[in-house]
Amino acid sequence: IGRINMIERTLSNKIKEIAQFFPVVLLTGPRQVGKTTLLEEISHGQYSYVSLDDISQRELAQKDPALFIQNHTTPLIIDEIQYAPELFTYIKIYVDTHKNQNGLFFLTGSQKFQLIKGIQESLAGRVAVLDLLGFSYKEIINQAHTSPFLPTEEWIENTRTSIREKNLNPLTVQDIYEIIWNGSFPRLVCQKNNAREIFYKSYLQTYIERDIKDSHNISDSITFYDFIRAVAARTGQLLNYAELARDVAVDPKTAKVWLSVLERSGLIQLVYPYYNNITQRIIKTPKVYFLDTGLCAYLTGWDSPKTLEAGAMSGAVLETYVFAEILKSYWHNCKEAPIYFYRDKDQKEIDFVIEQNSTLYPIEVKKTLMPNESSIKNFNVLEKLNKPVGHGAVLCLKPEVLSINRQVTSVPIWAI
């Protein structure tokens, strides 16, 4: 556990900055991604702490929230706030009677959308909502202070310089798939041992029994587990509700509800196609991505990095890993992640399109050491959308940053 504290999180300084302007900070994310550890590190032991995993504290918070608040001094970290949404009104009262004081409450929760509903009703304008996922590769190699990934010429030049000056070791394909297979949960990153399988088995059991069955009224935990596995097998693919429902013998309406549960829990993210009214030929179906590739690999039964790299999911899980890393680079810098993909009815596809300042940046993910012009053959379809098209990137296994042409650069996957 000690090594977890040695890895600095990108979000760390951002929380300190934001707490100077907001009385309440809510840190959301899946279970076990390090939310509590991060807040405790920021507090340097100077904040009060209470967890609503503690049944007695939870009961007090639910039945007498005013007394609960009165019993604790601020600044106060309240862990797993979703168990007592009754607290939101009383946090509001406390904040409103301590005007001009910020950084009073630091809340964590693993049910983002459920929490935001309570916040909109009680704490609107008083709370900053931040997202935390597992470790990014940059955090693991002690490069936490990095900007969001956007393949501008400035970002590319800074990355090229950083690789050279910091003498960063390039990762082989075997290295990358080991990272993908192991996953990004802090306990697994910091305590590499033979506990991976038992960790994920216990994680899913806890998730289903504690977070899902009661709060979402899902009684058939076996079928729900099969559903999670079916979603994991489709990571990086277009979402087909009817096919997904058929595979686990539930109706499409149930499949939609269960998928929204996985999204609210921070286990998956839906990515939508970039679309405007100029062209009607773009497919509107979203793609689904697991946010931890280790959990995805466990659910789909790959027993080693080698079998995963050689198997049928090799390309999809690599794309999934890249998506999660790009997403972390935005969320951990407290920024929205304007990530889309492009696919039209002519089967022309671009893995990711990032929109920034009304400019579209095309990105391809390739499991290759030799990216070339064929890797970017579809980039020109963006021109028909009547928006400026920025510098493009091919994220691949090549160990250095090199130009493919004037408008596109190949970037090592581990450099994002």
Side-chain angles (χ1 to χ4, degrees), residues 208-327:
I208 292 172
E209 295 299 323
R210 292 176 60 183
D211 289 353
I212 298 304
K213 285 184 72 172
D214 295 335
S215 59
H216 296 283
N217 197 27
I218 294 174
S219 57
D220 191 349
S221 56
I222 294 174
T223 303
F224 187 73
Y225 179 78
D226 290 341
F227 179 80
I228 300 175
R229 292 182 62 193
V231 175
R234 289 166 170 77
T235 190
Q237 297 180 24
L238 290 173
L239 187 56
N240 185 321
Y241 286 106
E243 182 186 274
L244 187 57
R246 186 178 64 245
D247 280 5
V248 289
V250 298
D251 62 84
K253 185 178 178 181
T254 299
K256 282 192 174 185
V257 171
W258 285 3
L259 200 80
S260 71
V261 169
L262 295 182
E263 189 173 20
R264 289 199 299 269
S265 305
L267 293 191
I268 66 165
Q269 182 81 0
L270 298 184
V271 177
Y272 291 86
Y274 188 83
Y275 178 82
N276 63 21
N277 292 325
I278 292 173
T279 174
Q280 301 297 322
R281 296 190 57 78
I282 297 176
I283 289 174
K284 300 178 186 178
T285 307
K287 291 168 85 170
V288 60
Y289 288 95
F290 251 70
L291 292 181
D292 186 85
T293 53
L295 180 59
C296 183
Y298 171 80
L299 284 163
T300 47
W302 302 99
D303 64 2
S304 70
K306 187 175 181 181
T307 56
L308 178 61
E309 188 271 323
M313 284 185 64
S314 176
V317 81
L318 184 67
E319 185 179 311
T320 299
Y321 172 75
V322 168
F323 170 73
E325 289 293 293
I326 295 174
L327 191 66

